[in-house]
Amino acid sequence: MAPVLKTRILLSACSGLLLVWSVHTFAAPRPNHLLPQYQQSYPAAPEIPHASVSSLRASSTSAFAGSTTFPAHVPSERSGKEVLARGAVKSGRAKESLRTLGVSAPLAATAATAATAATAATAATAATPETYAPTRPPGGIDPATAVPLLWQNATIGQIGAMADGSVQQSDKNQPNGVAGLDAAGRFTAPVAGDVTAATAGSALSGALKRPLSARFAEQPSAGDFGITLDGTSDDTIALQAAKAAVPAGSMVRIPAGVLHLAAPLQSEAPTLWQINGTTLADGAPITSLGTDVIESTLEGGKYFARGESRADMAPVLRKDLDVTHTGGTTGFVMNLEKGNCTIPAEGAALNDYVWCHSTVLNSSAFGAGQHVAQASLAQRPADALADGKGSRSQIWAGYDEARDETGQASSVAGSMVGREVDVYANGDDPVGWRIGLQLQIAGTSADGTPGKVGKGIAIGNNDATSTYGTLIDAAGRFDTAGRFDTAGIDLSRSTPVNNAPVLNIGANRNLAFSDDHKPHFQFDSAAYTLRYWYDTANLLAIGMQGDVTTSISNAGSGVAWTLNGQAQLGLNLSGLNAPEALRLAAGQTLSWEPTAVVHSGFANGKLTEQVAAGVARTLDTSGNETLPGSLQNSQTIVSLTQPTAPAYVAKGTAAIGLDTTGLTTPEALRVADGQAVSWEHTASVQTRYASGQLQDSQNGAPLRTLDASGNETVTGSTRNSGMTTSLNNSAASAITLTGSAGIGVNLTGLSTSNALRLGDGQSVAWEPTAVMTTGYTATGLTDAKGSTPLRQLDSNGNETLAGTITPNAGVHLPTLSRASIKAQPNPAPGVMVFDAEDDAPAIYTSAGWMLVGLSALP
């Protein structure tokens, strides 16, 4: 056996020389096995010739070149030891016999102990799948035997140690062999067979090597389950198998191709399909795979979709950002999602409609559910204050900002809208379910403490110079069809707290009623007066004490105040405690029927009652009477607290001061007990009812009194506002005045002679119960108590009294000539005149005119 062994060693040496030449010709630089990392502690051995060592070195280099685990560079100390330990397992030839014999010796002496080598040899032996029994010559081989003809002296043990990491060239790229590497340490040819158990690592620093099967399992593909994607074969089975193989919610890729499904996918477990350029047979993109979510591209953009749904399914796309840090740069905005859309000044985008964010909801659902195209929720949780750090930061459920930084007017820079909310629908909305913009404010919990929102809607500017053209525009934008049929602004459902105003215009601000802003209301804070303006003319003013002042600038516009309807009272002044209930200017009249034929007025120092142009009765300032009307029904009740001011002041040049001819109630004006009607602006001439008597007076002195029995002892009010009121409530008065104003109705400011007009059959009541009245009926002007006439004046000037005449200065009979007395047409029996020629009274009887005999006073 010795000659055979020698022959094998020599052949190995020759082979080593051949390998040295081959490596120098084709391989990359070889590792130097004389470096310390390749040394182990063994007993010293004789030197080996240089050529022999070179052969062994070449063999060792071949072993490294065929390894799939280590690249062709200088190994580390650990990797070198592993190679020495695994050499016998990989080579499986004569070098294993040498190592089994333990014939390993150092190429250079080190400080390591022999125990280290024994441990490595034992580990390598344990890793060998089968026991190999070497054939020894008689007497064995000394591991320290030197092998001559090497470039450096070496023992058989050293040669075996270096041969542990070497392989035969014939093993490269062979089954159960080794993979060939190029000069860069990469595979030079494909490796046949299953390589999923092989390891691979990332080029990133610190990355670990893992089996390829683990890496492939990280991203399942439908191709792993036999999908064809040829457009004709049924791919349902492959996709169904993929769904069954992965956990619920996994992502499975579908390679590019043409998908054909003969049946819908069946599974309750959701799967996210990542579609990589896959289409349907007609070339259309895939937009639905049952109830699963697909991730794909559509029209050149990222596309997520779910074609079908089940109840209570999770969203198609969910994004969460949990902010856990503290500190940071002040003013920095952290976004869960941010989209930037830039439109160039020139190019294809000139006439494009670009929507940087678009949400579309199509719903044909019925029932009580709600479907929201876009929703935002900003919530401060209940335990937000638990850390004791004080009030929290602002939270905004939504934020929109549109900026124009050109500094130019909109006619130059272009249009701009902060946010537009459009609602399109046809037909009526009887239940109020169509809402353009709804702002809902409520407590977070029904059983919690009632909350308060400081401002329901706050509209303001961020600087002190910019202005609004129109703050709220309720009109149509493009045409006149933008109408409303209920209310432009409806505050009827508002429930004020602490008497807060439902609408607050603000002091000295205007509330306009037309596009030209001419008719408008304004509150004058300096005078604390509410004013109604037409352009620059103040037509109506209401003071803080309830006093009303009006001005009329158009003499031909009609009456100052017109009452229509069927109120119980035309104008009720009974609640006033001022003695002067109604005041007329000199020359103005009080009309008692619609045509103003019958009226009373004060002019030229006389109180005159007329029918048409004929004077029916005159009362001068001395109380001498010569024989030859106004209430409104608007249900307006004015409570007065200022006794020194009139309740109603009318000024201007209206044709009529106060017109009540449209009223159907017989009682046109009511005056409280003790109040008076003044007939000129100084209030010197008055008519009042007090202490059961109707009395005409001047400067406080009674001039004429009519008591409740009809006995007469001979010792107005208007408004100028240009307003017409139509009444339809016959159970209430048109105007009711209460309080302590100095004057009930003041018409002295009017320039029209007709200050007050009453309807036919209406009357002026002189005390609160309306027992004592003055009115015009078909029989003439009548003073009455209830329904009993006390004094009547017909259209011919004839006066009829239910009682007697008791003048303080005597009765002055009309003085006529005898011819004039006899010429009287159809005088009534009892008519008395004074015959100037006989210097005696004459009475008309059934027998004709009779003179009354007189005797001298004693």
Side-chain angles (χ1 to χ4, degrees):
M1 293 297 293
V4 176
L5 181 59
K6 291 180 179 179
T7 302
R8 294 178 64 183
I9 294 176
L10 290 175
L11 288 175
S12 297
C14 294
S15 177
L17 293 175
L18 179 60
L19 287 174
V20 168
W21 175 83
S22 176
V23 169
H24 278 292
T25 305
F26 300 100
R30 299 162 294 175
N32 185 356
H33 296 283
L34 297 180
L35 295 176
Q37 58 264 36
Y38 293 98
Q39 306 306 308
Q40 298 189 30
S41 179
Y42 294 100
E47 293 185 356
I48 302 176
H50 184 275
S52 301
V53 176
S54 299
S55 300
L56 295 175
R57 182 180 182 185
S59 300
S60 177
T61 303
S62 298
F64 281 104
S67 173
T68 60
T69 306
F70 296 96
H73 56 71
V74 178
S76 65
E77 182 178 357
R78 182 177 68 85
S79 62
K81 293 178 181 180
E82 290 176 352
V83 170
L84 295 177
R86 294 198 302 266
V89 178
K90 292 187 176 182
S91 62
R93 288 173 174 81
K95 59 182 180 292
E96 182 177 357
S97 301
L98 294 175
R99 192 191 58 74
T100 305
L101 291 173
V103 286
S104 297
L107 295 179
T110 64
T113 63
T116 304
T119 302
T122 303
T125 302
T128 305
E130 61 182 0
T131 303
Y132 176 74
T135 302
R136 298 186 179 87
I141 297 178
D142 185 0
T145 302
V147 179
L149 302 179
L150 296 177
W151 69 276
Q152 181 175 338
N153 292 336
T155 65
I156 293 177
Q158 291 174 322
I159 295 173
M162 289 185 293
D164 280 344
S166 64
V167 295
Q168 296 294 327
Q169 290 295 313
S170 59
D171 290 339
K172 288 201 310 179
N173 299 326
Q174 296 300 319
N176 297 322
V178 295
L181 302 177
D182 62 10
R186 296 172 299 198
F187 289 122
T188 58
V191 178
D194 184 8
V195 297
T196 57
T199 60
S202 170
L204 299 177
S205 176
L208 301 178
K209 297 176 182 178
R210 296 183 295 142
L212 294 179
S213 59
R215 295 197 62 120
F216 291 151
E218 291 177 355
Q219 181 62 71
S221 171
D224 298 336
F225 299 91
I227 195 170
T228 59
L229 297 174
D230 57 9
T232 57
S233 301
D234 184 11
D235 296 320
T236 307
I237 298 176
L239 294 188
Q240 202 71 57
K243 285 181 63 68
V246 299
S250 297
M251 294 184 294
V252 179
R253 291 176 58 86
I254 299 180
V258 180
L259 182 69
H260 172 65
L261 296 179
L265 300 182
Q266 300 292 334
S267 177
E268 293 294 324
T271 302
L272 173 61
W273 301 97
Q274 293 181 313
I275 300 176
N276 183 21
T278 312
T279 65
L280 299 175
D282 58 358
I286 299 174
T287 58
S288 174
L289 281 180
T291 59
D292 286 339
V293 175
I294 65 171
E295 175 185 353
S296 179
T297 59
L298 182 64
E299 300 174 348
K302 194 70 171 177
Y303 181 74
F304 288 86
R306 175 188 287 135
E308 302 175 15
S309 67
R310 295 191 307 270
D312 305 325
M313 295 195 76
V316 173
L317 178 65
R318 173 167 178 164
K319 302 174 183 180
D320 292 304
L321 170 63
D322 194 357
V323 181
T324 59
H325 69 276
T326 58
T329 304
T330 302
F332 177 78
V333 178
M334 178 175 292
N335 300 282
L336 170 61
E337 178 184 4
K338 184 175 182 180
N340 292 313
C341 178
T342 301
I343 304 174
E346 297 180 356
L350 279 177
N351 297 312
D352 288 350
Y353 288 86
V354 179
W355 303 69
C356 290
H357 180 79
S358 178
T359 302
V360 178
L361 169 68
N362 292 296
S363 175
S364 299
F366 65 89
Q370 291 183 343
H371 308 114
V372 181
Q374 184 173 348
S376 299
L377 172 64
Q379 179 172 328
R380 181 176 290 120
D383 60 350
L385 301 174
D387 55 12
K389 293 184 178 180
S391 61
R392 307 290 97 175
S393 303
Q394 289 185 358
I395 56 176
W396 298 32
Y399 173 77
D400 295 294
E401 178 176 340
R403 301 175 66 92
D404 185 341
E405 299 181 349
T406 63
Q408 300 296 320
S410 63
S411 58
V412 177
S415 178
M416 181 175 172
V417 178
R419 173 169 281 255
E420 178 177 345
V421 179
D422 295 330
V423 177
Y424 297 97
N426 292 333
D428 197 9
D429 183 20
V431 292
W433 284 351
R434 296 173 186 159
I435 301 173
L437 179 63
Q438 176 170 320
L439 177 64
Q440 197 75 21
I441 299 175
T444 57
S445 174
D447 55 356
T449 302
K452 179 179 181 179
V453 172
K455 296 177 177 62
I457 298 177
I459 303 177
N461 54 0
N462 294 325
D463 56 41
T465 58
S466 300
T467 59
Y468 296 101
T470 301
L471 192 60
I472 297 177
D473 186 0
R477 174 60 57 85
F478 300 107
D479 53 31
T480 59
R483 303 184 288 266
F484 47 81
D485 61 1
T486 303
I489 299 176
D490 187 358
L491 304 176
S492 62
R493 293 182 176 89
S494 300
T495 305
V497 178
N498 298 328
N499 201 30
V502 175
L503 181 64
N504 192 348
I505 301 298
N508 304 313
R509 302 293 189 265
N510 297 337
L511 178 62
F513 298 96
S514 67
D515 292 338
D516 59 9
H517 304 163
K518 288 186 177 181
H520 60 272
F521 271 115
Q522 181 193 72
F523 179 73
D524 185 348
S525 61
Y528 225 75
T529 299
L530 179 63
R531 303 184 185 277
Y532 172 77
W533 298 78
Y534 185 83
D535 203 0
T536 58
N538 183 201
L539 302 182
L540 174 65
I542 302 176
M544 61 181 175
Q545 302 297 337
D547 50 299
V548 179
T549 303
T550 62
S551 298
I552 296 178
S553 58
N554 186 358
S557 64
V559 298
W561 184 273
T562 300
L563 298 179
N564 295 320
Q566 299 176 354
Q568 184 178 7
L569 298 177
L571 183 64
N572 192 343
L573 306 177
S574 60
L576 287 174
N577 57 16
E580 186 178 358
L582 187 65
R583 176 177 292 184
L584 280 73
Q588 292 181 337
T589 61
L590 179 65
S591 298
W592 299 100
E593 38 77 44
T595 62
V597 172
V598 182
H599 56 269
S600 298
F602 181 82
N604 302 322
K606 295 180 180 180
L607 180 61
T608 303
E609 294 174 337
Q610 291 182 244
V611 178
V615 177
R617 180 171 60 183
T618 301
L619 180 67
D620 63 19
T621 56
S622 300
N624 300 311
E625 183 178 33
T626 302
L627 299 178
S630 164
L631 195 60
Q632 166 117 247
N633 188 355
S634 69
Q635 294 193 67
T636 301
I637 298 176
V638 180
S639 297
L640 305 177
T641 58
Q642 171 61 276
T644 61
Y648 196 92
V649 178
K651 296 179 180 180
T653 57
I656 301 173
L658 187 62
D659 190 349
T660 60
T661 56
L663 288 173
T664 60
T665 176
E667 185 177 352
L669 184 65
R670 177 176 292 185
V671 181
D673 191 3
Q675 292 182 336
V677 175
S678 298
W679 299 101
E680 37 79 51
H681 64 280
T682 64
S684 298
V685 182
Q686 299 179 345
T687 298
R688 81 174 61 235
Y689 179 83
S691 302
Q693 292 182 334
L694 181 63
Q695 185 182 83
D696 295 332
S697 65
Q698 183 175 15
N699 297 323
L703 302 180
R704 181 173 61 182
T705 302
L706 180 67
D707 64 18
S709 300
N711 299 312
E712 184 179 34
T713 302
V714 180
T715 324
S717 168
T718 188
R719 180 170 187 169
N720 189 355
S721 68
M723 293 187 290
T724 300
T725 303
S726 298
L727 306 176
N728 56 15
N729 187 356
S730 60
S733 58
I735 294 179
T736 301
L737 299 180
T738 60
S740 57
I743 301 173
V745 178
N746 191 343
L747 305 178
T748 59
L750 285 176
S751 60
T752 177
S753 59
N754 195 353
L756 187 63
R757 177 176 291 180
L758 281 71
D760 190 4
Q762 293 180 335
S763 63
V764 175
W766 299 102
E767 37 77 45
T769 63
V771 172
M772 299 300 297
T773 60
T774 298
Y776 180 83
T777 63
T779 58
L781 183 62
T782 302
D783 295 332
K785 177 182 180 182
S787 58
T788 303
L790 301 181
R791 180 172 61 181
Q792 292 180 315
L793 180 68
D794 64 19
S795 58
N796 294 321
N798 298 313
E799 184 178 32
T800 301
L801 297 179
T804 60
I805 297 177
T806 309
N808 292 340
V811 176
H812 182 191
L813 299 178
T815 302
L816 301 174
S817 64
R818 181 171 296 175
S820 298
I821 295 174
K822 292 182 177 182
Q824 291 293 325
N826 300 320
V831 172
M832 179 181 291
V833 297
F834 189 82
D835 188 347
E837 296 178 8
D838 294 326
D839 197 25
I843 299 177
Y844 186 80
T845 67
S846 58
W849 288 99
M850 299 293 182
L851 288 174
V852 178
L854 300 176
S855 61
L857 290 175

